[in-house]
Amino acid sequence: MRLVRFGKKGSEKPGLIDDDHVLRDLSGEVDDIAGEVLRKPGMARLAALDPKSLPKVDPSHRLGAPVGRIGHFIAIGLNYADHAEETGAEAPAEPMVFSKAPSCISGAHDELPIPPGSTKLDWEVELAIVIGDPAFDISEDRAMDHIAGFCLCNDVSERAFQKERGGQFIKGKSAPGFGPLGPWLVTPDRLGDPQALDLWLNVNGETRQRGTTKDMLFSAAFIVAYLSKFMLLESGDVITTGTPAGVGAGMKPPQFLKDGDIVTLGINGLGEQRQVVKAA
């Protein structure tokens, strides 16, 4: 399945994209793509529906983040060796874990606002995991049973806030608009192997990032199992899994986003995003 949430920000309705690429309304079946709907029984009920029985929706509707009521937005840093190298860091022996504020989450095509005081606004194309059944202290071979699906993420980062202001990465990762997700949530049965996906990102039509999830240092399954050793992962939690080389901070000289820039990115099977950078 490809699940979506459509409509104005803050009042999105649940929906799906059928095999003919038609947007269908799920609001008669569930209240949101969130919480218990993402657990196995809820997802099985949605999978059993005949998409053609659901009302068609005008495709011009805005698509919001494909998951609602996200409790925890977790990120993994330096999960590609080439990205660690371009930042001058050693590849980590264990996943580097930090958080993004859930309030930063936006739709795949929403504007990307430049926060006040920003001087080093950067991009990161990433594969994101959405938790289905809660997970605590699980093994890696059980991890996929706890994943509701995957989506595309742009882990937008303000490098000066992140690295020059002390404290934790969360300060440079959490401004409004810094977490575009979607356009849709794709279930594991439809996506296939999450470690065989191509990632790409362009700025103003120019190539910045090209990579593949097969080069992740820590796989999606390993990350879920690893995090579950330290915390209870709950239904609807989102984990974004790191980015390949090509970020602005790694360029020589560094290049950062400015008002009017257009960022486009995608992962095969998970759709594409487009953000216009907007000064306050």
Side-chain angles (χ1 to χ4, degrees):
M1 291 184 292
R2 290 181 293 173
L3 299 174
V4 298
R5 297 168 69 249
F6 63 92
K8 293 181 180 179
K9 188 175 180 65
S11 58
E12 293 92 345
K13 294 181 178 181
L16 62 77
I17 308 293
D18 70 19
D19 288 340
D20 296 320
H21 311 292
V22 175
L23 176 59
R24 302 279 181 170
D25 188 352
L26 275 173
S27 60
E29 303 293 334
V30 293
D31 66 340
D32 202 354
I33 308 298
E36 291 194 2
V37 170
L38 293 163
R39 299 186 184 190
K40 283 191 180 68
M43 296 295 277
R45 190 167 76 83
L46 293 182
L49 296 172
D50 176 6
K52 295 190 184 303
S53 71
L54 301 170
K56 291 183 179 180
V57 178
D58 183 339
S60 67
H61 276 287
R62 168 188 173 271
L63 294 182
V67 184
R69 304 197 299 270
I70 295 168
H72 202 171
F73 192 4
I74 306 166
I76 305 299
L78 302 180
N79 198 24
Y80 291 75
D82 59 358
H83 176 55
E85 182 179 358
E86 73 175 346
T87 65
E90 292 187 6
E94 296 189 31
M96 176 187 290
V97 182
F98 60 92
S99 287
K100 292 171 72 74
S103 57
C104 80
I105 292 169
S106 61
H109 306 296
D110 291 347
E111 285 186 345
L112 173 51
I114 301 174
S118 170
T119 58
K120 297 181 178 180
L121 187 63
D122 209 345
W123 56 83
E124 296 189 10
V125 59
E126 305 196 3
L127 171 70
I129 302 163
V130 178
I131 297 296
D133 285 4
F136 182 69
D137 194 24
I138 63 167
S139 60
E140 184 177 351
D141 62 1
R142 290 178 52 209
M144 289 299 296
D145 291 336
H146 294 264
I147 295 175
F150 298 87
C151 62
L152 173 62
C153 176
N154 186 358
D155 177 18
V156 181
S157 307
E158 212 303 329
R159 303 300 186 189
F161 295 176
Q162 177 186 357
K163 296 186 175 182
E164 300 170 18
R165 301 290 296 273
Q168 301 295 313
F169 280 8
I170 191 171
K171 294 196 296 188
K173 298 283 190 170
S174 296
F178 273 29
L181 295 177
W184 41 69
L185 169 66
V186 179
T187 51
D189 61 300
R190 184 179 180 102
L191 182 65
D193 184 358
Q195 306 309 140
L197 305 174
D198 295 329
L199 309 84
W200 61 270
L201 182 144
N202 298 339
V203 177
N204 300 326
E206 297 183 1
T207 299
R208 291 291 180 264
Q209 293 184 277
R210 292 291 185 274
T212 171
T213 58
K214 72 180 180 182
D215 292 334
M216 287 168 57
L217 299 175
F218 306 104
S219 70
F222 182 91
I223 288 168
V224 170
Y226 178 84
L227 291 173
S228 81
K229 305 302 181 185
F230 305 102
M231 66 188 78
L232 172 64
L233 298 172
E234 299 187 295
S235 304
D237 283 351
V238 174
I239 307 161
T240 191
T241 61
T243 199
V247 300
M251 299 177 71
K252 301 185 186 307
Q255 295 184 25
F256 299 108
L257 296 170
K258 60 186 183 303
D259 183 43
D261 283 347
I262 299 174
V263 183
T264 53
L265 58 149
I267 298 177
N268 56 301
L270 295 177
E272 299 183 7
Q273 296 186 1
R274 181 182 187 272
Q275 292 109 37
V276 178
V277 180
K278 184 71 173 177

